[in-house]
Amino acid sequence: MIKIYNLKKNFNDLEVLKGVSEHIRPGEVVSVIGPSGSGKSTFLRCINLLEEVTEGEIYVDEELITAPGVDINLIRQKMGMVFQQFNLFPHLKIIDNITLAPVLLKKMTKEEAKAKALELLARVGLSDKADSYPASLSGGQKQRVAIARALAMNPEIMLFDEPTSALDPEMVGEVLDVIKSLAESGMTMVVVTHEMGFAREVSSRVLFMDQGIIMESGTPAEIFDNPQNERTKLFLSKVL
Amino acid sequence: MEFFATISEQFYKCFIKDDRYKLLLGGIGVTLKVSLVAIVLGIIIGFFIAVCNLSKKKVLRGIGLVYTDVIRGTPSVTQLMLIYFVAFAAVQWDKWIICAIAFGINSGGYVAEVIRAGILSIDKGQTEAGRSLGLNGRQTMTHIILPQAIKNIFPALVNEFIVLIKETAIVGYVGLVDIQKAGDFIKSTTFLAFMPLLATAIIYYVIIKILNIGLKRIEKKLRQSEIR
């Protein structure tokens, strides 16, 4: 589904990704863990080209999206993204936050989009918030809306960039529950996270990133119970 | 008693005699026409210059930079006279239209900076959220960034409109009779300064007061989404 070959990303003189290759298959739930500054978020943001790729190739559904002239807006419609800071549109009601893109991009009529939005809001447990503005929601509620907003485009892949890092501790659970149920429904997902419990429980595969490369990759059991790489061991000893 | 007699006599001389109040009424119409067209023009020009200033293309950024630099670096009276007596010297348009264009060009330079600041005030995450949903740059700008930016810069824009309306008082320099010039005429025909100047001040004040009240209402509406 997503194939990444030798991905490199520099910010001016700083090498953030130093050659990452990875293959994400349909239905996989891949958690990306690692210390701050290891390049996890940059890696995720390169997948939908929110960051310009310095070098390397990314294929989505066999299409080379790093090639010049590719309509990136079309590619992005296949990939939902959820941000650490939610990034809801504060000037729009919750329902309009969700329907904006599908209607604007002519994927659905207004009525279809609205029906879909209400269905998604029910799914994330926020049916009563349709006509509220984001300012009146808690962090956890905002993030659940953000997930619904991304799902409204019927994406094939969902990308999560530290979805619970900006939340108060008591709200982490409600957001993780939504992500978990999404994983169980068979959605392909890449989740950058600091929630080790979540990574272990939900993911089919875990990537440990450090110093701009994928140091180790394996099933949750392999990574958490029997890490091979010294860096992985050191990192896990600090966070577990 | 004598004081009141003088006042009423002055009032009569300045406004009633020879229908002099009509001069002021005409002036109000001119000021409003010039201001309104200039404000609209200023917003349009300002938006395009702001987009130039924020563009990735060096040429566009250069154009934007020179525009705001020149407009803000020279007196508006000079700009008005240059546009009226030089740029539009051969054009047979109504005086007030040329003046409105001059003020629109001037206002655009200031509005551009206000709009630029407004766009920059919106968090980068908003653009990323829009783009990640598959919207293109223009759709993100019109549906996500600008609505929020306009709300943020509204008070600054109102300020600019107020300055602009008062600034139009210099159109007398090219012979257009607005409120200020009408007051001047009355002053020079009656040899009375106090009444016509007071009237001029009051008229400007009332126009701006009304504008302020109207725009405050719009601002309140814009801020609806912030209610928790």
Side-chain angles (χ1 to χ4, degrees), chain A residues 45 48 50 72-73 76-77 79 81 83 87-91 100-101 104-105 133 135-136 149-150 153, chain B residues 123-126 128-137 139 143-144 147-148 151 224-228:
Chain A
R45 291 161 58 84
N48 69 353
L50 275 186
I72 184 57
N73 298 319
R76 285 187 183 133
Q77 293 178 26
M79 296 193 269
M81 177 130 181
F83 300 87
N87 296 340
L88 292 185
F89 306 133
H91 61 301
L100 176 74
L104 210 54
L105 297 169
Y133 282 101
S136 66
R149 178 177 69 181
M153 289 296 290
Chain B
D123 185 68
K124 216 173 122 237
Q126 292 289 309
E128 291 183 350
R131 298 305 303 269
S132 79
L133 287 164
L135 305 188
N136 63 30
Q139 289 164 330
H143 293 274
I144 296 168
Q148 298 182 56
K151 192 177 73 181
Q224 240 168 17
S225 68
E226 285 168 17
I227 300 164
R228 282 166 193 273

Side-chain angles (χ1 to χ4, degrees), chain B:
Chain B
M1 232 26 229
E2 200 169 318
F3 174 72
F4 287 108
T6 332
I7 291 281
S8 66
E9 193 198 324
Q10 283 196 8
F11 187 88
Y12 174 78
K13 258 189 167 174
C14 288
F15 306 123
I16 313 293
K17 196 168 175 243
D18 300 333
D19 281 348
R20 292 206 172 105
Y21 71 94
K22 283 189 177 160
L23 213 55
L24 279 171
L25 285 184
I28 294 174
V30 168
T31 295
L32 289 181
K33 273 194 296 194
V34 172
S35 303
L36 200 71
V37 173
I39 284 172
V40 173
L41 213 57
I43 292 174
I44 296 169
I45 294 174
F47 175 70
F48 281 106
I49 296 298
V51 170
C52 283
N53 277 328
L54 293 168
S55 166
K56 279 182 193 148
K57 296 195 181 92
K58 253 193 173 161
V59 187
L60 290 180
R61 273 213 313 273
I63 293 172
L65 198 75
V66 170
Y67 190 95
T68 47
D69 196 48
V70 170
I71 291 294
R72 300 202 297 174
T74 55
S76 32
V77 185
T78 317
Q79 292 167 17
L80 173 69
M81 292 173 88
L82 271 174
I83 288 169
Y84 188 85
F85 293 116
V86 181
F88 283 82
V91 183
Q92 299 294 320
W93 291 353
D94 276 358
K95 263 183 192 173
W96 77 267
I97 294 178
I98 301 174
C99 287
I101 292 172
F103 281 105
I105 290 172
N106 174 271
S107 180
Y110 294 92
V111 171
E113 283 301 284
V114 172
I115 292 181
R116 189 174 72 95
I119 291 173
L120 288 177
S121 74
I122 305 302
D123 185 68
K124 216 173 122 237
Q126 292 289 309
T127 308
E128 291 183 350
R131 298 305 303 269
S132 79
L133 287 164
L135 305 188
N136 63 30
R138 184 179 299 187
Q139 289 164 330
T140 306
M141 185 53 88
T142 42
H143 293 274
I144 296 168
I145 306 303
L146 279 183
Q148 298 182 56
I150 287 167
K151 192 177 73 181
N152 286 357
I153 62 177
F154 200 77
L157 277 182
V158 170
N159 197 40
E160 167 57 23
F161 298 158
I162 290 172
V163 171
L164 173 66
I165 291 171
K166 293 192 295 185
E167 193 91 342
T168 61
I170 59 171
V171 291
Y173 274 90
V174 298
L176 189 60
V177 184
D178 67 329
I179 299 167
Q180 177 70 39
K181 195 70 188 172
D184 266 6
F185 269 146
I186 295 172
K187 180 170 71 92
S188 52
T189 38
T190 59
F191 300 110
L192 293 168
F194 175 65
M195 276 284 173
L197 286 178
L198 182 70
T200 306
I202 290 174
I203 293 169
Y204 276 111
Y205 181 82
V206 169
I207 290 175
I208 286 162
K209 194 79 201 169
I210 292 170
L211 177 84
N212 244 331
I213 292 169
L215 291 176
K216 272 265 150 31
R217 288 210 182 139
I218 298 178
E219 189 180 350
K220 211 170 160 190
K221 269 209 175 119
L222 285 174
R223 297 220 166 267
Q224 240 168 17
S225 68
E226 285 168 17
I227 300 164
R228 282 166 193 273

Side-chain angles (χ1 to χ4, degrees), chain A residues 24 28-34 40-41 43-44 47 82 157-164 176 179-180 182-183 187-195 198-199 202-203 205-207:
Chain A
I24 291 153
E28 262 196 323
V29 177
V30 177
S31 290
V32 185
I33 61 170
K40 321 182 283 291
S41 281
F43 168 66
L44 191 77
I47 297 179
V82 175
I157 308 153
M158 284 287 283
L159 308 174
F160 292 87
D161 189 3
E162 302 195 23
T164 59
L176 289 184
I179 300 175
K180 208 186 293 179
L182 195 58
M187 174 70 76
T188 310
M189 314 204 304
V190 183
V191 188
V192 171
T193 185
H194 291 293
E195 298 289 331
F198 170 84
V202 177
S203 30
R205 206 149 54 83
V206 178
L207 308 180

